[in-house]
Amino acid sequence: MRQLIKREIMEQFQNRPYFFDTGIRFECRQCGTCCTGEPGSVLVSAEEVSAISAFLKIEVWAFIERYLYPFRGSFSIREHPDGRCLFYENGCTIYPVRPTQCKTYPFWFNNMRSKDRWIKTTRECPGIGQGRLFIKEDLLDLLETELSETNE
Ligand code: SF4
């Protein structure tokens, strides 16, 4: 997404009232719904490739060959035939170094751009409404990170 558009989106989030102005509680319940099911892409940046391969204690080239495929100028994580992430085994096996796209879920622009989309997301993620309160500033930080790092 172009820089100007991103800036405009963030300014709107900051300057207009939104459904998340009073914050949103969220704590991952490790249910795996967002790591399984429908096939999808998870963008992994060059820095994340290094961090994950170091975490797994394998060479970068071997990590890329075994677990990734080219995607949008970088890589995405391969999946099992049923759509489950290769790193999901009763929980995320690379959780401390998981990609930004995973770290920022469910607070993605596409989920938060409207209240209707957010309500749909709440039906998919049982962690929403639980645990820590993310105030608006926290949510804007996560949205900005997701927009900057996972959108062109
Ligand atoms: S759907 Fe929500 S609660 Fe379940 S693993 Fe994903 S983030 Fe965690």
Side-chain angles (χ1 to χ4, degrees):
M1 206 180 291
R2 298 227 172 101
Q3 289 302 325
L4 183 62
I5 299 173
K6 279 187 224 164
R7 207 174 323 124
E8 282 173 6
I9 291 168
M10 289 312 299
E11 278 174 12
Q12 282 198 13
F13 276 136
Q14 276 152 359
N15 299 328
R16 279 178 34 193
Y18 274 91
F19 67 90
F20 56 83
D21 285 354
T22 54
I24 295 175
R25 288 193 183 277
F26 170 69
E27 184 177 78
C28 178
R29 312 312 273 180
Q30 307 283 334
C31 72
T33 301
C34 61
C35 323
T36 61
E38 292 289 304
S41 303
V42 177
L43 185 68
V44 186
S45 69
E47 293 77 21
E48 290 166 344
V49 168
S50 301
I52 300 168
S53 53
F55 180 79
L56 295 172
K57 298 187 172 55
I58 59 175
E59 297 286 344
V60 168
W61 67 266
F63 170 63
I64 291 171
E65 196 173 275
R66 201 177 303 167
Y67 295 105
L68 306 181
Y69 63 90
F71 178 67
R72 285 189 3 208
S74 190
F75 298 97
S76 180
I77 300 174
R78 291 183 195 279
E79 297 170 326
H80 292 284
D82 63 359
R84 180 166 50 97
C85 176
L86 274 193
F87 294 112
Y88 186 80
E89 292 294 337
N90 293 322
C92 176
T93 57
I94 57 166
Y95 195 79
V97 289
R98 67 200 186 286
T100 297
Q101 188 175 326
C102 307
K103 279 183 191 155
T104 53
Y105 183 84
F107 303 118
W108 293 347
F109 170 68
N110 273 336
N111 294 340
M112 301 192 74
R113 62 196 303 178
S114 73
K115 191 168 184 185
D116 283 351
R117 279 176 182 259
W118 183 249
I119 288 169
K120 185 170 175 286
T121 307
T122 65
R123 294 194 196 109
E124 294 162 359
C125 173
I128 296 169
Q130 314 284 330
R132 175 192 156 190
L133 179 68
F134 287 71
I135 62 170
K136 186 173 183 182
E137 285 70 21
D138 298 329
L139 299 170
L140 291 177
D141 282 349
L142 286 162
L143 276 167
E144 191 160 21
T145 301
E146 195 258 335
L147 277 174
S148 310
E149 296 189 24
T150 67
N151 289 279
E152 287 175 343

